Amino acid sequence: MGGNILAISGGGFSKEDKAYIDEYLLKIPKRQGPLKIAFIPTASNDAQGYIDKFYEAFKTEHTSHLTIKDFESQNIQENVNSLDIVYVGGGNTQNMLEIWKRTRFDVVLKNAYQNGVILAGISAGAMCWFETCFSEKNEQEYEEFEGLGLLKGSLCPHYNDKERREAFDNWSANQTGIKLYSLNDNENLHFRNEKLIAEIIT
């Protein structure tokens, strides 16, 4: 496999201007000049306001975004492979993964990762890279479902949220032999070649 994945728990461009974690992300490729970075707002159902914030935050780079409709374009794999960074937004993780699987965009992302494209994401976009996700089914209930499996184990973002923490702790008490990560907002993990190489607190 190999490559870089940046899992962002909370913060980033959606919450703050000139976010440190976004600047950190842009330094991962270690090269000069504008980077090709695409935003994937599937989890927010392609919310326009969220897309606008992305363009504003990364205006010094070569930016684009991919909506659910774009996943069905014939040259989608080529497009994504040509990027430096894919940045997945937050929202409904389970709905996002269902859409990706239905349109085979999950396969596109896995192929891009093998090709050296950096994968990054916040909240839903941080959780999705792991084998197992545990998140909201609806406003009252949480449930377990399958992630993309690029990283072993499971990640709980927004661990500082009391309700989410209790639900995750109850679920994780019954998990054996699985690597569990829990991040408060503004705690972030950088994986290279599927190994955790940095914990960044912003």
Side-chain angles (χ1 to χ4, degrees), residues 33 43 45 52 90 92 112 135 142-143 154 165-166:
N45 208 14
D52 295 342
N92 186 319
S135 191
Y142 286 72
E143 72 177 6
S154 187
R165 183 171 64 245
E166 286 174 0

Side-chain angles (χ1 to χ4, degrees), residues 118-136:
I118 294 162
L119 304 178
I122 186 162
S123 189
M127 207 189 301
C128 64
W129 313 118
F130 291 81
E131 290 170 309
T132 308
C133 299
F134 181 75
S135 191
E136 299 96 329

Side-chain angles (χ1 to χ4, degrees), residues 10-22 57 186 202:
F13 73 87
S14 59
K15 294 278 188 286
E16 53 195 289
D17 293 334
K18 297 210 178 334
Y20 174 80
I21 195 62
D22 295 338
N186 299 308
T202 59

Side-chain angles (χ1 to χ4, degrees), residues 106-199:
D106 59 332
V107 178
V108 170
L109 286 171
K110 288 175 187 178
N111 289 339
Y113 177 66
Q114 308 277 14
N115 274 286
V117 178
I118 294 162
L119 304 178
I122 186 162
S123 189
M127 207 189 301
C128 64
W129 313 118
F130 291 81
E131 290 170 309
T132 308
C133 299
F134 181 75
S135 191
E136 299 96 329
K137 178 183 181 185
N138 52 45
E139 286 187 13
Q140 282 81 40
E141 293 174 276
Y142 286 72
E143 72 177 6
E144 178 185 322
F145 50 96
E146 202 177 298
L148 294 187
L150 294 174
L151 297 171
K152 295 252 182 285
S154 187
L155 167 73
C156 177
H158 315 302
Y159 191 66
N160 44 307
D161 176 84
K162 182 171 177 283
E163 193 182 311
R164 183 179 292 274
R165 183 171 64 245
E166 286 174 0
F168 188 78
D169 287 351
N170 289 338
W171 171 76
S172 61
N174 301 314
Q175 304 302 310
T176 50
I178 173 172
K179 180 77 182 146
L180 299 167
Y181 301 90
S182 49
L183 297 178
N184 293 330
D185 286 348
N186 299 308
E187 293 180 349
N188 315 280
L189 301 176
H190 179 187
F191 293 85
R192 182 172 292 141
N193 300 331
E194 296 82 60
K195 290 185 175 59
L196 181 60
I197 60 158
E199 295 184 46

